Amino acid sequence: MDRDPHLNQSRKTNAALMARRRAAMPRGSGQVHEVFVDHALNAEVWDVEGRRYIDFAGGIAVLNTGHRNPQIVAAVKAQLDRVTHTCFQVLAYEPLVELAERLNALAPGDMPKKSFFLTTGAEAVENAIKIARAYTKRSGVIAFSGGFHGRTMMTLSLTGKVAPYKAGFGPFPAEVFHARYPSALHGVSVADSLASIEHIFKNDIEPERVAAIIVEPVQGEGGFYVAPPEFLLALRALCDKHGILLIDDEIQSGSGRTGTWLAIEHYGVVPDLITMAKSLAGGFPISAVVGRAEVMDAPNPGGLGGTYAGNPLAAVAALEVIKVFEKDGLLARARFLGERLQTGMRAMACKHRAVGEVRGLGAMVAMELIENGDPHAPATELTKRLVSEAARRGLILLSCGSYANIIRVLVPLTASDAIVDEGMSILEASLDAVAAA
Ligand SMILES: Cc1ncc(COP(=O)(O)O)c(C=O)c1O
């Protein structure tokens, strides 16, 4: 790993800061890498000891436009000199209205749309469920195994993974049911998945009491499983048949990651409600619920809100993210990078039997590591060693999946080809090293 000669942090070490962190902060808030960041730019990060890393994690899908994108930083600096907080429900500001107009226009479907803003992804999902219940006057919600929707109580109820998210925190809000998410690798067909919804209708709740089905077009934390087109089309048809709303959780797959502004655009499916967060504002905290105007208007005045919801700094950052995408052609870049990443990973799969599958949509790319060529034998330990070895060599990686055996890539779309290739070389060398050990 290179060291930054300009860094004036010689007395701080990652180990000393980890000790302070452990003493002052609870262990429940995990940390993938024992690294403390000093500064970052685009797809590179420097720690307090001056080590340089290539960032393939992007703050968990937040940095599609890169660390400290100069255009976004300039817009936020200008807003800092104007106003930083009023609470939109008390005194409004134009950038948030403009953001709503932009997101309404970007979301699929010709019908009138409205957008409402919050701070975190989980809050967006919470509010999408509130809006769906207010509109349909129904209570039930169907989510999917392996899906991740957040860490608040309602979103934990929706999240389809017990350890570490749900364990010890129940009981969760009722009337949430989990269907199976399709995965050819794991032998779950679209028909199996749809049959699991019919089982819910038969065994748990009648469709007339279901307010919404919430789905990720590409499961994020769940393992970058890409929904087959016929699955999302069938969900839309099922929702139409029973008067159920389709909520499209684009918190990880949205904001241009997959080569379209929203992943659902690949499918030609028009959802009733969409949740967005993460890369929406390039590192500033804001989330959105975008949806059919009549649905969005169902809650009464005062029913929706939040003190920091739609903060003006984050609002101007989000407007700038959209401009950066247009100016820099980042949707095309996502498609280009996706192919480059998949090609690199497929080359690794030819060398290593442990790479069971390479998959992705646009630049949302992952490889699943398995033992002895058996997709039902997750190589969890190998993946853990790979993540550590890559960090030792200067590449920040993230795993995902129910068994933490999937390497996902969320490198900024603004990263140069040279940086992406350097990162892929480190990934390959790290895999060679841990597979040989
Ligand atoms: C698909 C999806 N929904 C919701 C969330 C929750 O977002 P947040 O962590 O901002 O609350 C996440 C976070 O990873 C996510 O990937």
Side-chain angles (χ1 to χ4, degrees):
M1 268 168 282
D2 300 341
R3 279 171 190 275
D4 180 355
H6 307 295
L7 204 79
N8 186 23
Q9 294 279 351
S10 50
R11 271 166 294 150
K12 288 196 181 142
T13 64
N14 290 308
L17 288 169
M18 272 314 291
R20 278 174 56 198
R21 181 225 203 272
R22 285 203 177 94
M25 300 174 74
R27 67 196 178 107
S29 156
Q31 189 177 321
V32 181
H33 300 282
E34 299 203 350
V35 169
F36 279 77
V37 172
D38 180 80
H39 63 282
L41 186 63
N42 202 357
E44 292 168 282
V45 169
W46 287 264
D47 76 5
V48 290
E49 297 176 18
R51 279 192 204 85
R52 167 192 174 257
Y53 300 86
I54 293 173
D55 187 2
F56 269 21
I60 318 191
V62 171
L63 298 163
N64 287 348
T65 46
H67 286 275
R68 292 197 298 120
N69 185 297
Q71 202 174 316
I72 298 168
V73 168
V76 173
K77 278 186 177 163
Q79 183 62 36
L80 269 172
D81 287 334
R82 241 177 251 129
V83 61
T84 60
H85 177 83
T86 58
C87 183
F88 193 78
Q89 293 128 256
V90 179
L91 294 172
Y93 29 87
E94 186 182 354
L96 201 62
V97 180
E98 190 184 338
L99 183 61
E101 291 164 349
R102 295 301 311 262
L103 294 184
N104 294 340
L106 283 167
D110 293 335
M111 68 288 191
K113 281 162 268 174
K114 290 193 174 183
S115 290
F116 162 63
F117 299 95
L118 297 128
T119 312
T120 66
E123 270 185 293
V125 173
E126 289 270 350
N127 281 274
I129 302 296
K130 280 168 61 179
I131 293 166
R133 283 183 169 170
Y135 179 77
T136 59
K137 302 191 170 41
R138 303 174 179 188
S139 53
V141 185
I142 295 176
F144 291 89
S145 301
F148 184 85
H149 300 287
R151 296 170 182 273
T152 57
M153 288 311 253
M154 184 64 194
T155 57
L156 274 183
S157 189
L158 297 167
T159 287
K161 181 178 173 185
V162 173
Y165 306 126
K166 299 171 85 148
F169 296 133
F172 304 108
E175 301 274 78
V176 171
F177 308 93
H178 287 94
R180 301 175 80 191
Y181 196 89
S183 159
L185 182 70
H186 296 286
V188 183
S189 67
V190 170
D192 293 334
S193 174
L194 296 174
S196 72
I197 298 178
E198 292 302 331
H199 272 106
I200 290 170
F201 291 159
K202 185 127 191 82
N203 301 328
D204 299 307
I205 186 169
E206 66 275 31
E208 295 74 25
R209 277 209 310 115
V210 177
I213 296 180
I214 183 164
V215 66
E216 296 163 87
V218 184
Q219 281 195 332
E221 303 304 300
F224 280 33
Y225 296 103
V226 183
E230 62 274 26
F231 173 60
L232 292 183
L233 288 165
L235 285 188
R236 180 68 271 178
L238 197 68
C239 285
D240 289 343
K241 181 175 166 197
H242 297 294
I244 297 170
L245 297 183
L246 184 63
I247 304 177
D248 169 25
D249 186 344
E250 295 265 3
I251 287 166
Q252 191 150 165
S253 60
S255 305
R257 186 77 215 166
T258 67
T260 47
W261 179 246
L262 296 166
I264 200 90
E265 291 171 56
H266 291 277
Y267 298 86
V269 167
V270 178
D272 300 292
L273 293 169
I274 301 165
T275 52
M276 298 188 71
K278 291 195 182 276
S279 275
L280 179 60
F284 293 86
I286 192 168
S287 60
V289 185
V290 184
R292 267 168 49 204
E294 55 164 340
V295 176
M296 293 293 291
D297 273 330
N300 288 322
L304 304 178
T307 305
Y308 293 113
N311 171 270
L313 298 173
V316 297
L319 284 170
E320 220 55 37
V321 164
I322 297 169
K323 287 183 203 155
V324 169
F325 262 84
E326 289 166 351
K327 182 174 79 54
D328 296 352
L330 289 188
L331 293 182
R333 178 82 185 144
R335 295 191 287 270
F336 173 85
L337 274 186
E339 276 171 32
R340 204 175 182 101
L341 293 167
Q342 285 216 30
T343 304
M345 285 184 175
R346 284 189 205 293
M348 293 177 218
C350 291
K351 271 203 290 181
H352 294 285
R353 204 164 163 238
V355 181
E357 186 172 74
V358 174
R359 58 177 173 261
L361 191 63
M364 202 169 172
V365 172
M367 61 183 189
E368 181 156 345
L369 301 180
I370 56 175
E371 280 173 9
N372 308 318
D374 178 1
H376 304 297
T380 306
E381 266 313 303
L382 181 76
T383 311
K384 205 171 161 188
R385 281 191 281 122
L386 175 57
V387 171
S388 304
E389 180 62 21
R392 209 180 59 75
R393 294 169 183 251
L395 174 68
I396 299 298
L397 288 178
L398 276 182
S399 63
C400 62
S402 294
Y403 302 95
N405 65 317
I406 297 155
I407 296 289
R408 55 176 150 172
V409 178
L410 291 162
V411 64
L413 305 174
T414 44
S416 67
D417 290 352
I419 288 277
V420 173
D421 291 349
E422 189 185 341
M424 289 300 281
S425 300
I426 299 175
L427 176 59
E428 184 167 4
S430 306
L431 182 58
D432 291 347
V434 294

